[in-house]
Amino acid sequence: MTKIALTIAGSDSGGGAGIQADLRTFAFHCVHGTSALTCVTAQNTVGVDRVDALPPEAVTAQIDAVLGDIAVQGVKTGMLLNAEIIEAVAEAVEKWKLTPLVVDPVMVSRTGVQLIDDRAISQLKQKLIPKATLITPNRYEAQILSGLAVNTIEEMKAAAKKIYQLGTSGVLVKGGAMQGALRGTDVWFDGQTLEILTSEIVDTPHTHGTGCTLSAAIAANLALGKSPLPAIQQAKKYVTTALNYALAIGRGTGPVGHFFPLVQRSMVE
């Protein structure tokens, strides 16, 4: 039977992140992708020019339309943008008993720029994270959620343990924004197992959408029946290979190569 996943996130007009990245990632894993849009961005490889939030009722209606007809085996959230949308999504998660749920707490960019306001962060911590199967904060998001500095591997471990106390079933503190040898090193904690996950460091400036892609790949693997840690390990392999085939498009930071098997085949042919 075809497995189905749902992404609740924003649209990236440049096609590198958000809903677009999520649906490509689901397709790579042979998982049918459904979606609920939270906001529309006008962006490209150079930057974001505009962001328009959808009304919370519109987000809820999309989720209800999908789940009222289609059974999903995995769910992920991305950019939720504001407190009202976060609350609406949390209510939908509760209403439909959505699990497994991967929460990518899109609060701060990899460069350290805060993307949502403090009220939205509070709602995320109180309403949505406690319902998550796992969450995937980057370094800066981990600092906000834990209240701790995150500069070393020991601090990544401490942050993961602290964030776990918010009620989620698992935490993956991502090291993509870390410096030196820690770049690309992630820490997983599920209340019992503390695991350090490493991967190849790919030397490319074209990394747009890596966070969205990783969380979508985890959700897809969970939908396929894998448990969280193996799902994360498979997702990291996918992202690493996609980075090796990143797309040098536009004048700025290009996206990862979600469809790299097609690129590999065209290179052979």
Side-chain angles (χ1 to χ4, degrees), residues 6 10-11 19 21 28 41 49-50 53-54 75 78 81 98 121 141-144 148 155 175 213 222 230 235 247 250:
L6 168 65
S11 170
I19 290 279
F28 172 91
T41 69
D49 297 325
R50 178 176 174 134
L54 269 70
V75 184
L81 196 62
L98 296 182
I121 291 173
E141 291 160 348
Q143 288 183 156
I144 290 175
L148 304 173
E155 289 173 344
T213 300
L222 291 173
L247 307 180

Side-chain angles (χ1 to χ4, degrees), residues 37-264:
L37 207 61
T38 60
C39 59
V40 177
T41 69
Q43 66 175 291
N44 51 33
T45 64
V46 178
V48 179
D49 297 325
R50 178 176 174 134
V51 181
D52 291 289
L54 269 70
E57 297 81 6
V59 178
T60 299
Q62 293 173 80
I63 297 171
D64 288 347
V66 171
L67 299 173
D69 179 50
I70 304 168
V72 301
Q73 288 76 46
V75 184
K76 70 146 287 189
T77 64
M79 170 58 84
L80 301 181
L81 196 62
N82 61 44
E84 291 74 21
I85 291 174
I86 291 169
E87 185 171 3
V89 170
E91 289 175 356
V93 168
E94 181 67 27
K95 172 184 175 181
W96 293 101
K97 308 301 179 188
L98 296 182
T99 188
L101 171 65
V102 179
V103 173
D104 184 4
V106 183
M107 304 186 299
V108 186
S109 72
R110 287 179 65 180
T111 59
V113 178
Q114 187 167 319
L115 303 173
I116 62 176
D117 63 27
D118 291 342
R119 181 166 169 259
I121 291 173
S122 178
Q123 287 290 83
L124 194 66
K125 291 171 69 174
Q126 295 177 27
K127 299 289 182 67
L128 191 59
I129 288 176
K131 295 177 171 60
T133 304
L134 63 97
I135 69 169
T136 60
N138 63 27
R139 171 192 182 181
Y140 301 109
E141 291 160 348
Q143 288 183 156
I144 290 175
L145 292 173
S146 68
L148 304 173
V150 178
N151 298 300
T152 67
I153 191 67
E154 292 304 318
E155 289 173 344
M156 290 176 74
K157 293 177 184 178
K161 292 178 179 179
K162 186 74 171 180
I163 295 167
Y164 177 79
Q165 295 175 12
L166 293 174
T168 179
S169 297
V171 183
L172 182 71
V173 175
K174 299 180 297 186
M178 298 295 283
Q179 301 298 313
L182 286 181
R183 182 177 160 215
T185 298
D186 303 335
V187 172
W188 163 251
F189 183 65
D190 64 359
Q192 295 182 330
T193 302
L194 183 67
E195 193 89 18
I196 299 173
L197 305 172
T198 59
S199 57
E200 170 195 350
I201 296 177
V202 181
D203 187 17
T204 176
H206 303 299
T207 58
H208 185 51
T210 50
C212 303
T213 300
L214 179 67
S215 58
I218 295 170
N221 278 288
L222 291 173
L224 291 168
K226 294 183 174 66
S227 55
L229 184 55
I232 291 167
Q233 292 168 329
Q234 287 299 313
K236 281 178 64 68
K237 289 179 182 178
Y238 170 67
V239 172
T240 298
T241 307
L243 280 166
N244 275 299
Y245 289 89
L247 307 180
I249 59 174
R251 295 176 289 111
T253 302
V256 302
H258 298 99
F259 44 84
F260 60 79
L262 299 178
V263 177
Q264 291 171 328

